[in-house]
Amino acid sequence: MSKLYIVPTPIGNLEDMTFRAIKVLKEVDLILAEDTRTSSKLLKHFEIGTQMHSHHMHNEHQTVEHTVQKLKNGQTIALISDAGTPAISDPGFLLTRACVENDIPVECLPGATAFVPALVNSGLPNDKFVFEGFLPDKKGRQTRFLALAEETRTMILYVSPHKLVKTLAEFETYFGKERQVSVSRELSKLHEETVRGSVEEVLKHFETKPPKGEIVVIVAGKQKEKKNKNE
């Protein structure tokens, strides 16, 4: 029976690959990978010999229809990204939506994703949170920051290392110097690090120690103003 499997892959430490993920990748007819060169190392490590095709942000509009047709013809296909869970700031949504629209079963396996450990590590409230992913580079960036300045839930952002200092400086402008943040980088890897503190403190840290690796930033939401008891 045809089915699309969404399969998370390790964000760094290969030991985070699940037994079930390995089993699925060995049994499907085809694996769609964000970067076949990156994924070939993973497949080789776990002795997975399944055929692999490319599916990334630059070609996914063209490949979705062809992939849906393969599934309609009875094939089972797994979608993986370079690291983490597909469709979370990675390709995957378009194909998943197309499968749902065509009544093709979709099954997402549980597994690695960067923002969950970063959120838990932060020590900031996680009963309610909002995932923002990557902020716009130019157009719409200021508008987004103005909206987030009023957000009361904890915020999760993905930030590239060469933009971290600039982004933290923008936090000072829009959120204030005292807003609490947590920056996690290289999660599950040898040089994993989490830096917590006020925006001002964390900015000073990374101004003197330029960051490297994959980065997740957790930002405390705006505190609600306490009402006067006499009101």
Side-chain angles (χ1 to χ4, degrees), residues 89 131-135 156-159:
S89 291
F131 177 75
E132 286 292 321
F134 290 99
L135 293 176
I156 303 168
L157 298 93
Y158 287 165
V159 181

Side-chain angles (χ1 to χ4, degrees), residues 81-128:
S81 64
D82 289 348
T85 301
I88 304 296
S89 291
D90 274 324
F93 164 69
L94 294 178
L95 180 56
T96 301
R97 181 179 64 180
C99 288
V100 171
E101 291 173 347
N102 284 274
D103 294 321
I104 296 169
V106 177
E107 185 173 349
C108 181
L109 276 61
T113 187
F115 78 78
V116 173
L119 174 62
V120 175
N121 281 343
S122 72
L124 294 172
N126 56 26
D127 54 331
K128 294 180 181 180

Side-chain angles (χ1 to χ4, degrees), residues 109-201:
L109 276 61
T113 187
F115 78 78
V116 173
L119 174 62
V120 175
N121 281 343
S122 72
L124 294 172
N126 56 26
D127 54 331
K128 294 180 181 180
F129 56 88
V130 56
F131 177 75
E132 286 292 321
F134 290 99
L135 293 176
D137 280 334
K138 294 180 181 178
K139 186 178 180 181
R141 190 175 179 89
Q142 182 182 29
T143 301
R144 196 75 213 116
F145 265 121
L146 289 170
L148 292 177
E150 300 302 315
E151 177 60 66
T152 57
R153 294 169 292 181
T154 298
M155 295 166 273
I156 303 168
L157 298 93
Y158 287 165
V159 181
S160 59
H162 67 279
K163 293 180 181 176
L164 179 61
V165 170
K166 172 193 172 185
T167 302
L168 289 169
E170 289 172 315
F171 286 177
E172 277 197 336
T173 300
Y174 294 99
F175 303 151
K177 293 181 179 181
E178 298 304 314
R179 184 75 68 93
Q180 294 296 299
V181 297
S182 175
V183 176
S184 292
R185 66 178 195 87
E186 296 291 81
L187 286 163
S188 84
K189 299 176 184 177
L190 181 62
H191 300 292
E192 177 176 334
E193 176 188 37
T194 295
V195 179
R196 308 171 185 87
S198 68
V199 168
E200 183 177 29
E201 291 168 339

Side-chain angles (χ1 to χ4, degrees), residues 3-9 17 20-44 46-56 59 63 67 70-71 75-82 86 95:
K3 181 183 283 190
L4 173 68
Y5 290 94
I6 310 297
V7 181
T9 56
M17 190 74 168
R20 186 172 170 219
I22 296 170
K23 183 175 183 290
V24 167
L25 293 181
K26 286 183 175 181
E27 293 179 350
V28 293
D29 298 306
L30 177 66
I31 296 172
L32 298 180
E34 185 179 1
D35 187 328
T36 55
R37 294 167 298 180
T38 299
S39 296
S40 63
K41 299 174 185 176
L42 178 76
L43 300 191
K44 183 178 180 181
F46 291 106
E47 299 180 347
I48 299 169
T50 308
Q51 183 182 13
M52 186 167 45
H53 287 173
S54 178
H55 181 87
H56 49 74
N59 74 353
T63 59
T67 302
K70 286 179 179 290
L71 288 160
Q75 289 193 28
T76 54
I77 297 177
L79 175 66
I80 61 176
S81 64
D82 289 348
L95 180 56

Side-chain angles (χ1 to χ4, degrees), residues 5-19:
Y5 290 94
I6 310 297
V7 181
T9 56
I11 59 175
N13 193 322
L14 290 179
E15 292 183 0
D16 291 335
M17 190 74 168
T18 68
F19 292 119

